[in-house]
Amino acid sequence: MDKSNQGDNGELQTAELDLEWVYLLMSARNAGIKADEIRQFFNEKMLQAM
């Protein structure tokens, strides 16, 4: 297996995740949810997962 492409694949996955986050944040904003509310929600969920 050629490992030289793994960096490119990781970068592609990161870009895809970034686009998903942008889409989710824009959708939330369009729904009237403020960024602070989103941050608080994810912070609470992260603490629960720990």
Side-chain angles (χ1 to χ4, degrees), residues 18-37:
D18 288 345
L19 288 175
E20 287 182 39
W21 278 109
V22 169
Y23 175 77
L24 289 171
L25 291 173
M26 294 297 292
S27 297
R29 188 172 105 180
N30 290 338
I33 302 171
K34 297 184 181 201
D36 289 337
E37 294 177 52

Side-chain angles (χ1 to χ4, degrees), residues 1-49:
M1 180 165 118
D2 183 14
K3 295 185 179 188
S4 63
N5 291 331
Q6 285 184 349
D8 294 338
N9 189 28
E11 291 173 13
L12 180 61
Q13 289 176 349
T14 300
E16 289 173 358
L17 286 175
D18 288 345
L19 288 175
E20 287 182 39
W21 278 109
V22 169
Y23 175 77
L24 289 171
L25 291 173
M26 294 297 292
S27 297
R29 188 172 105 180
N30 290 338
I33 302 171
K34 297 184 181 201
D36 289 337
E37 294 177 52
I38 297 168
R39 285 187 200 102
Q40 181 180 358
F41 173 80
F42 283 113
N43 285 336
E44 290 172 1
K45 293 299 178 185
M46 182 178 63
L47 289 174
Q48 288 175 0

